[in-house]
Amino acid sequence: MAELCGVVGIGQTQHDAKRTDVSAPGLLREAATRALEDAQLTWSDIDAVVIGKAPDMFEGVMMPEIAMGDALGAAGKPILRVHTAGSVGGSTAVVAASLIQAGIHDRVLTVAYEKQSESNAMWALTIKIPFQQAIVAGAGGYFAPLIRAYMARSKAPEDTGIRVALKDRLNALKNPYAHLKIPGVDFDQVANSPMLWDPIRYLETCPSSDGACAMVLSSEKAAESAPTRPAWVWSTAMKSEPTMFSGRDQVNPQAGKDCAAELYKKAGITNPRKEIDAAEIYVPFSWFEPMWMENLGFAEEGLGWEMTYEGATALDGDLPVNCSGGVLSSNPIGASGMLRFAEAAMQVRGQAGEHQVEGARKALGHAYGGGSQFFAMWIVGSEKP
Amino acid sequence: MASGDGGLLSASHIVEYPYRRSTGPVMGRFFAALRDRRFEGVKTARGRVLVPPTEYDPQTGEAADEMVPVGPGGVVTTWAWVSHPRAKHPLNHPFAWALIQLDGADTAMLHAVDTGVESAMQTGMRVTPRWRAQTVGSINDVACFEPEGTS
């Protein structure tokens, strides 16, 4: 029987296009310090540090974590890094939680970050490697055809993506940490924004952000002294599949479906739409909301768009999705997954302020990465499992 | 595409992109001081002065942000002689790589020392910086160190 794991501290930075006021270690320190303050703990209370970020090429620093031990108070403690492309923020939290669940440590600090202003992820994702298939258009160029395929399959109304973007941009106005805030944003502004990668418009895509997120995870015993109610980890799951193979369904990947099925089974959830009160889903391009609603089993295949269209995923809907404004509003890539996990935990701790879902008791955090091939998820609850 | 071993194809792959670095408030001040031909270290909560400075005490993880002037002179704590300098070395004649503990610092930093001959190098010797005519905010604003009283 695994030990219980609780989230007792959460911190995030002010996300912005350029945080030139801090170094990269200073950026993740800002999030980590806030997580410790939230937990009313100090560096010496932490047993181990688990860090995640997107591929090294994004900032051009090889293995940056080995130079960040001092910024994370890791001297004399284990520090380890998790690599799973864009899903890494989620996977990092899952690995950190496993150290608690396995009974190895009582308090683990987990941190994820990206400082996109120091590089250009679009370029890093556009490298033409000899003898290999070229992506040559960044993430948007890779995912746009998958969205087109989804539109063709589902016959979803053309403006579904605009509605997702508008919802998330309005939610971001309620999140003090969000990077991209557009006061007064409306349907026409999103609809009239430039087409970047057909069918993805400028305001339907995520920004490039500098930012970090951190959580203090605790054993049940160590959580007894927590100053505020922990978010209890009900289940975690990770799955992967190769980027390219014949017959792979990139629109609705099997790894995502399997990951969700395992997650619900471990948490004893049989009707996710009914039993989950809020979800933070990795949606870097608007149309991924309906796509992931289906992949996660919240909607039948081909009907995910109806949830968006009917307002089910709005802050006052029956399954509020990305109340924080989501990846569309803040995208420090390596941290984007952990922000989803942390925002889910904030919801069940009642910490989400203006974007709080009233009475949220169970929330899902989701991250995906690579060519829709790495998945990490967790369900957290206000009560112990 | 070039031909490799056994006639199998290989190709070169050159990746270039201009990255950018934000130095943060501690390293940023260290480099700004170099531009003004001064050295600054950081004083940790435990009272140790680290040069080059770090943002966080490497042992305790506590934030360190009290900048203090150090140097410009210092002491060689250890060194290695370079008899045959290569093109990218800081001096084009024989010199020493040395760890130099600047006055007021509790740690030593690496730099070049120009004594001309190896026999003039000694652990414990005092050295002072030789600044470049143009400074930009880089450790290379110090061309090298030289024995105290040389110039």
Side-chain angles (χ1 to χ4, degrees), chain A residues 54-336:
Chain A
D56 290 348
M57 189 177 276
F58 282 15
E59 284 101 345
V61 181
M62 295 304 115
M63 299 182 285
E65 68 282 2
I66 60 176
M68 290 177 164
D70 56 351
L72 296 172
K77 301 167 189 177
I79 180 168
L80 61 102
R81 176 174 168 196
V82 178
H83 296 251
T84 59
S87 70
V88 72
S91 315
T92 303
V94 170
V95 170
S98 71
L99 294 175
I100 302 288
Q101 292 164 327
I104 295 169
H105 296 300
D106 278 319
R107 290 193 184 102
V108 175
L109 173 69
T110 185
V111 196
Y113 79 100
E114 208 72 52
K115 207 159 188 300
Q116 289 215 61
S117 68
E118 303 206 345
S119 70
N120 187 324
M122 169 85 182
W123 165 83
L125 290 167
T126 307
I127 293 170
K128 169 74 181 81
I129 298 171
F131 309 114
Q132 293 191 17
Q133 178 178 335
I135 299 172
V136 204
Y142 186 91
F143 291 118
L146 307 186
I147 291 171
R148 272 282 170 221
Y150 173 75
M151 293 166 80
R153 275 189 208 182
S154 66
K155 310 267 190 300
E158 288 272 343
D159 63 355
T160 304
I162 297 169
R163 289 167 184 265
V164 172
L166 179 60
K167 166 185 71 80
D168 285 3
R169 304 223 170 284
L170 289 170
N171 285 346
L173 297 174
K174 301 175 191 288
N175 177 358
Y177 299 104
H179 165 189
L180 196 57
K181 293 187 179 191
I182 309 171
V185 64
D186 61 17
F187 184 95
D188 288 342
Q189 191 180 354
V190 179
N192 294 327
S193 65
M195 191 65 84
L196 290 188
W197 304 271
D198 192 352
I200 308 171
R201 291 170 183 81
Y202 181 68
L203 287 180
E204 292 180 82
T205 192
C206 54
S208 291
S209 312
D210 287 357
C213 181
M215 290 186 284
V216 179
L217 307 184
S218 170
S219 66
E220 185 177 20
K221 186 164 178 297
E224 282 170 10
S225 58
T228 45
R229 192 175 68 193
W232 295 101
V233 177
W234 278 61
S235 68
T236 67
M238 292 191 284
K239 290 278 184 263
S240 59
E241 64 187 40
T243 322
M244 311 279 177
F245 63 85
S246 176
R248 176 171 184 236
D249 185 356
Q250 298 199 48
V251 176
N252 195 4
Q254 189 63 41
K257 288 194 270 192
D258 292 349
C259 193
E262 182 181 311
L263 186 79
Y264 300 143
K265 188 172 178 220
K266 283 180 181 170
I269 286 175
T270 52
N271 184 342
R273 174 128 179 214
K274 188 153 174 277
E275 295 175 63
I276 289 171
D277 303 313
E280 283 281 337
I281 311 294
Y282 203 110
V283 176
F285 304 103
S286 59
W287 280 90
F288 272 85
E289 175 173 295
M291 289 163 68
W292 291 147
M293 287 300 99
E294 297 173 24
N295 194 245
L296 285 164
F298 289 121
E300 282 181 40
E301 191 156 354
L303 298 178
W305 61 270
E306 286 185 355
M307 292 183 68
T308 304
Y309 228 78
E310 292 163 359
T313 57
L315 194 43
D316 59 357
D318 72 82
L319 179 71
V321 173
N322 294 333
C323 303
S324 64
V327 181
L328 283 183
S329 305
S330 309
N331 186 33
I333 302 176
S336 293

Side-chain angles (χ1 to χ4, degrees), chain B residues 80-98 111-117 121 130 132 140 142-147:
Chain B
W81 191 252
V82 180
S83 306
H84 302 286
R86 309 292 293 259
K88 297 218 167 172
H89 276 147
L91 296 167
N92 58 14
H93 55 265
F95 70 98
W97 285 120
H111 219 294
V113 176
D114 183 8
T115 56
V117 292
M121 281 302 302
R130 183 192 298 162
R132 289 191 195 281
N140 296 321
V142 180
C144 63
F145 283 80
E146 57 193 20

Side-chain angles (χ1 to χ4, degrees), chain A residues 20-23 25-26 29 57-61 70-71 75 115 117-120 123 127-131, chain B residues 1 9-13 15-17 19-25 54-63:
Chain A
T20 51
D21 58 319
V22 287
S23 63
R29 174 82 170 199
M57 189 177 276
F58 282 15
E59 284 101 345
V61 181
D70 56 351
K115 207 159 188 300
S117 68
E118 303 206 345
S119 70
N120 187 324
W123 165 83
I127 293 170
K128 169 74 181 81
I129 298 171
F131 309 114
Chain B
M1 299 292 163
L9 295 180
S10 69
S12 63
H13 180 218
V15 178
E16 288 180 313
Y17 189 80
Y19 289 103
R20 176 177 293 276
R21 292 288 172 264
S22 301
T23 53
T54 63
E55 294 184 77
Y56 312 101
D57 186 326
Q59 279 162 293
T60 64
E62 294 296 329

Side-chain angles (χ1 to χ4, degrees), chain B residues 122-144:
Chain B
Q122 280 184 50
T123 294
M125 71 188 288
R126 288 198 58 80
V127 291
T128 55
R130 183 192 298 162
W131 297 96
R132 289 191 195 281
Q134 294 281 326
T135 56
V136 295
S138 157
I139 194 65
N140 296 321
D141 289 345
V142 180
C144 63

Side-chain angles (χ1 to χ4, degrees), chain A residues 42-59:
Chain A
T42 64
W43 297 103
S44 60
D45 296 316
I46 299 299
D47 302 323
V49 178
V50 185
I51 181 171
K53 73 171 295 299
D56 290 348
M57 189 177 276
F58 282 15
E59 284 101 345

